[in-house]
Amino acid sequence: MKQTTYGFIGLGLIGGSLAKTLKKIDSSCKICAYTRSSGTTDAAQKAGAIDLICSSVQDPLFHTCDYIFLCAPVGNNIAALEQLKPVIRPDCILTDVGSVKTNIHEAVIRLGLTGQFIGGHPMTGSEKTGFENASDHLFENAYYILTPTEDVPAQWVEQYRRLASALGAIPLVLTYQEHDYITAAVSHLPHVIAASLVNTVHNLDSREEHMKLIAAGGFKDITRIASSSPEMWEQICIYNHDNIARVMDEFIRLLTEAREHMCASDGAHIHRMFEESRNYRNSFSSASLGAIKKTYRIYCDVIDESGAIATIATTLAVNGINIKNIGIVHNREFEEGVLSIEFYEEEPSQRAAQILRQHRYQVWEAGNR
């Protein structure tokens, strides 16, 4: 079989994870990359995620590539397109991993690259950024949306679809217009809401910061994504502002409606609002990851005594289970257990719950509350 060569512009969380996963599924593939920081490419080469370091976007190495992944912020990807045009081969599949598609598709049309561009968006990620947080299993069970141009050959789309499946992802083909409207609702607006909610608490908090002190559990869960990269979300909000504003208008309408009925003590409407949202949310599939990466967490009741947390951590370590984070929950309004334990993946989370129950701990799994 012909050795496949992949090129990367940018090696952050998504680009770095793609490179690591490609090496995992095909160790014979060749990967070259360019990043703004030479420290990133050095670290990636040392980790075995890439083979060759490119000196610029126009490095001749990119002419050898079968695929080129644009993994920088949206605006940087568009700038890179212009520089790549004279370098890449006509049979190279050009793609990106950006959260917004309209602008890059418009740039592809303007540059005459519609015959080889297939937009790509792995619907996964983390509030953590950078190559140091990249993982070779980030795409497992995550939707990977492809937005091919009308001119790209159908066999290339199928080839890319098979590659996405090999990464462990679930490929889904959409138009770029559909993609941007959908992600505005299920990814972009939630990030704006999370940031606004955190800033609301910040603005209303007392000098003693009692709101910050008590904020935990449910509040931290729904605002976790507010810790995401400001640079990335600035560009997303600017480049997809029409769709986000359109979705935001409906959200504001519903929020205003809820406020009016709440102030009028209209219990029936408020009850119906929560009932409808609960029923719709409970219909979501848990078999695949959505636009916002899931967290895997369990809660455990422990007696407040010396060594209680260390005993649990040791029990899990002896059974080969790695803990991502562990801490006491002081606000138990939304959590049943006093100890919160977070894991990197779903399977260790489930095993941990089973093991702790065997040791007669009372355990709740976050997804089953």
Side-chain angles (χ1 to χ4, degrees), residues 334-348:
F334 300 104
E335 272 70 57
E336 297 89 341
V338 70
L339 187 67
S340 168
I341 313 172
E342 189 177 346
F343 304 87
Y344 291 96
E345 297 174 309
E346 185 173 23
E347 191 272 335

Side-chain angles (χ1 to χ4, degrees), residues 26-44:
D26 180 14
S27 59
S28 70
C29 74
K30 186 169 72 173
I31 298 180
C32 59
Y34 168 76
T35 65
R36 289 179 294 178
S37 168
S38 60
T40 301
T41 43
D42 289 342

Side-chain angles (χ1 to χ4, degrees), residues 18 24 33 50 94 97 130 135 176 180 187 194 199 212 230 232 249 251 263-264 282 284 300-301 310 342:
L18 262 172
K24 179 181 177 181
I50 67 172
L94 190 60
V97 297
S135 162
Y176 69 85
D180 283 1
S187 177
N199 288 336
K212 179 181 178 181
M232 180 177 75
D249 287 342
F251 177 73
C263 292
N282 289 347
F284 291 1
C300 179
D301 255 344
E342 189 177 346

Side-chain angles (χ1 to χ4, degrees), residues 84-305:
L84 278 170
K85 182 179 178 180
V87 178
I88 56 175
R89 303 194 319 253
D91 60 342
C92 170
I93 294 178
L94 190 60
T95 185
D96 75 320
V97 297
S99 295
V100 183
K101 288 285 167 278
T102 298
N103 297 77
I104 196 162
H105 270 269
E106 289 175 347
V108 164
I109 293 169
R110 174 172 54 83
L111 293 168
L113 293 169
T114 55
Q116 58 191 118
F117 184 78
I118 304 174
H121 181 201
M123 302 290 284
T124 185
S126 168
E127 66 276 17
K128 305 296 184 182
T129 59
F131 179 80
E132 61 272 20
N133 294 297
S135 162
D136 65 7
H137 52 267
L138 187 68
F139 308 100
E140 290 179 1
N141 296 316
Y143 286 108
Y144 197 123
I145 298 179
L146 306 182
T147 60
T149 67
E150 293 181 356
D151 298 332
V152 77
Q155 63 266 30
W156 286 13
V157 179
E158 176 58 21
Q159 178 183 320
Y160 195 175
R161 192 195 65 78
R162 288 198 302 268
L163 177 62
S165 294
L167 296 171
I170 305 168
L172 179 65
V173 178
L174 299 173
T175 66
Y176 69 85
Q177 296 94 335
E178 288 177 304
H179 169 277
D180 283 1
Y181 182 51
I182 291 170
T183 54
V186 301
S187 177
H188 303 167
L189 180 60
H191 279 79
V192 175
I193 293 170
S196 300
L197 185 54
V198 169
N199 288 336
T200 298
V201 170
H202 175 266
N203 293 344
L204 299 179
D205 207 354
S206 64
R207 182 178 299 175
E208 295 78 17
E209 295 191 325
H210 288 153
M211 287 187 182
K212 179 181 178 181
L213 176 68
I214 295 173
F219 183 86
K220 289 183 71 176
D221 280 349
I222 64 175
T223 59
R224 173 177 54 86
I225 55 177
S227 297
S228 300
S229 164
E231 179 186 16
M232 180 177 75
W233 283 99
E234 174 192 349
Q235 294 208 13
I236 288 172
C237 287
I238 290 173
Y239 283 110
N240 202 28
H241 67 269
D242 284 341
N243 285 302
I244 298 174
R246 178 181 170 192
V247 175
M248 190 182 289
D249 287 342
E250 174 64 8
F251 177 73
I252 292 171
R253 184 189 71 79
L254 290 174
L255 203 60
T256 302
E257 183 180 84
R259 182 184 186 278
E260 291 172 351
H261 286 279
M262 178 183 66
C263 292
S265 299
D266 185 353
H269 178 91
I270 300 300
H271 183 278
R272 186 165 59 253
M273 177 185 74
F274 282 105
E275 182 178 50
E276 290 176 354
S277 66
R278 179 197 62 187
N279 292 341
Y280 184 58
R281 186 185 185 281
N282 289 347
S283 71
F284 291 1
S285 171
S286 60
S288 60
L289 302 180
I292 300 173
K293 190 170 178 62
K294 293 165 63 176
T295 57
Y296 305 106
R297 183 183 294 113
I298 63 174
Y299 298 94
C300 179
D301 255 344
V302 293
I303 299 173
D304 186 10
E305 61 183 17

